[in-house]
Amino acid sequence: MYILAIESSCDETSASVVEMDDPCGTDAKAPVPVRNILSNRIASQIPLHTVYGGVVPEIASRAHAEAVSALTYDALREAGLGLSDIGAVGVTAYPGLIGALLVGVNFAKSLAFANHIPLVPVCHIYGHIAANYFTHPELKPPFLALVASGGHTSVIRAKSYTDFETIGRTRDDAIGEAFDKVARVMGMPYPGGAEMDRLAYEGNAAALKLPSAAIADDTLDFSFSGLKTAVINHLHTLEQKGQSYNRADIAASFSEAVVSSVLKKLDLALRRTGETRLVLAGGVAANSHIRAALEAYCAKHGNIKLYLPDRALCGDNGAMIGAQAYFEFLRGVRADTTLNARAVME
Ligand code: KG4
Ligand code: ZN
C-alpha cells in the first residue's frame, strides 16, 4: 500500500510517499517485504535557526506552515501518485515542539478527512527506528534499538513492530544536544554535531580526560549534561587564562567519551535482554565514530547483528514516519478528527 507521511516535529518539514507491503505476512520464510521510498521531500529550516544558535519554536512553526502544503504536492508528484492512490496518511503526533507538531497534525487531518483516507498518528522516536526498514528490508523485531538524536536518547526494546519498551534513557541532555552545545562553545554553527564528527578525526582523543555519560549504576540510563559541562568548563577555564586550545583534540576527546558511554550501556542492555539484533537510529546515528565502534563491537561479539540506517535517513524525514505508520495501520490504529499533538511521550 502507498502511505503519505508528514513530519514537522522540530526543524525539518517533510512529506514522503512510501510503498510498504508484507505479501506473505510476517512468516519468517516469506520473501523480502516491500519497503520503497517513492519520494522523501525535506525542507530544512536550519538556515533560519543558525543565527540564533538553536531552534526557535515560533520560527519553526511558521516555517512548517509555509512549507508543508507545497512539499506534500511535490512528494505526490514525484511519486507519480494522486491522493486517490493513498491508503493511509501518517503523521508525527508526538513528541516534539508542540507548535511545530500542530502544523503537521492539522494539515494531515484536513488532507485525510477531506479525502476519506485513514489517518494514522505516529511517534517520532519509533519513526526513527523504522527508517531502518528501508535500509534493511529483512529487519524484523524483536531487536534492541538506540535512538540518538538532537532531542532524544533512548535504549528501546522493540518487541514487535508496534510494541516498544524504553529500558534506558538520558536523564538530562540528549546526545545530539550535547554535541551541538560543545560545538557552539567552540564557535561552530548550529547544529555542530556533523562538524564535530569530522573534526574528531584530526584530534587526539587522549588530550582531555572526561567523565563518562553512562551513569555508574545498574540502570541503562545516561547523563550527557555532566560530560557536556565538563568540556565547557574546561574551555572556559582555558579562555580565562588566555590559553588557546585545539578544537580537534576537544572534538576527539568528547567523541571518545560519547562512544565509550554508549558502548558500555548497550553492552549491558544486550546482555540483560538477550537480544541478538542491534539497531541504531536518529540524527546522531550518522556519527561515523559511533557507527565504527558498534561495528567493531558486533564483529567481536559474533552473535550480535548490527543494523545501521542509511545516513540520508538518520535525520528527521517523512519516509521513516510512513514506515511506522504502515505497521500502526496494520495494527488498526486510526485517528479521528479529535487527534491532537503532544510535546512529550506519555
Ligand atoms: O534526529 P534529528 O534530525 O532531530 C531530532 O529528532 O532531534 O537529529 C539532529 C541531531 C543534531 O543534534 C545534530 O547535530 C545531530 O543529530 N547529528 C550528529 C551528526 N549528524 C547529525 N551528531 C553527531 N555526529 C553526526 N555525524
Ligand atoms: Zn528526530
Side-chain angles (χ1 to χ4, degrees), residues 200-210 248-257 289:
Y201 283 105
E202 297 168 11
N204 171 13
L208 181 62
K209 178 105 187 70
L210 290 167
D249 283 351
I250 303 294
S253 304
F254 179 76
S255 171
E256 169 70 25
H289 304 273

Side-chain angles (χ1 to χ4, degrees), residues 12 124 128 149-151 176 179-180 191 193-194 197 282-284 286-287 314-316:
E12 258 108 27
H124 181 80
H128 270 301
S149 75
F179 265 108
D180 296 343
D197 184 355
V284 182
N287 184 275
C314 290
D316 295 346

Side-chain angles (χ1 to χ4, degrees), residues 31-289:
V32 175
V34 177
R35 311 287 185 236
N36 291 330
I37 300 175
L38 303 187
S39 61
N40 197 14
R41 294 288 175 139
I42 302 171
S44 174
Q45 304 175 359
I46 283 174
L48 295 178
H49 300 292
T50 301
V51 284
Y52 302 99
V55 179
V56 181
E58 189 55 41
I59 293 175
S61 308
R62 181 177 287 263
H64 286 307
E66 285 169 2
V68 70
S69 183
L71 274 183
T72 304
Y73 177 78
D74 288 349
L76 282 165
R77 203 180 43 174
E78 186 185 337
L81 299 173
L83 281 170
S84 57
D85 302 307
I86 299 298
V89 173
V91 65
T92 305
Y94 66 98
L97 299 171
I98 189 66
L101 286 165
L102 278 168
V103 173
V105 165
N106 284 324
F107 179 79
K109 256 201 246 188
S110 317
L111 198 70
F113 294 120
N115 293 283
H116 309 286
I117 306 171
L119 178 64
V120 182
V122 173
C123 165
H124 181 80
I125 294 176
Y126 303 156
H128 270 301
I129 294 174
N132 279 279
Y133 297 128
F134 296 114
T135 311
H136 311 283
E138 76 290 359
L139 172 63
K140 291 188 169 90
F143 54 75
L144 188 77
L146 172 71
V147 181
S149 75
H152 316 280
T153 307
S154 308
V155 182
I156 295 175
R157 200 172 182 183
K159 298 173 186 170
S160 75
Y161 290 104
T162 55
D163 184 9
F164 301 92
E165 185 191 357
T166 300
I167 56 175
R169 60 185 65 72
T170 179
R171 294 189 188 164
D172 38 58
D173 289 1
I175 190 165
E177 190 182 351
F179 265 108
D180 296 343
K181 285 184 180 162
V182 170
R184 187 167 74 179
V185 172
M186 293 202 288
M188 302 175 194
Y190 169 85
E195 180 58 9
M196 289 277 285
D197 184 355
R198 194 196 58 74
L199 207 55
Y201 283 105
E202 297 168 11
N204 171 13
L208 181 62
K209 178 105 187 70
L210 290 167
S212 175
I215 291 181
D217 61 12
D218 64 355
T219 68
L220 298 168
D221 290 352
F222 298 95
S223 166
F224 285 97
S225 171
L227 170 58
K228 170 201 74 181
T229 307
V231 179
I232 293 175
N233 286 346
H234 174 75
L235 298 180
H236 283 161
T237 307
L238 290 178
E239 268 169 32
Q240 277 162 7
K241 289 183 185 163
Q243 293 174 4
S244 61
Y245 58 84
N246 180 338
R247 293 198 312 179
D249 283 351
I250 303 294
S253 304
F254 179 76
S255 171
E256 169 70 25
V258 167
V259 166
S260 63
S261 309
V262 163
L263 277 182
K264 188 168 177 200
K265 289 297 185 185
L266 285 183
D267 178 56
L268 182 58
L270 286 164
R271 283 189 284 117
R272 196 169 279 174
T273 59
E275 296 293 0
T276 55
R277 299 182 186 105
L278 177 61
V279 168
L280 188 62
V284 182
N287 184 275
S288 51
H289 304 273

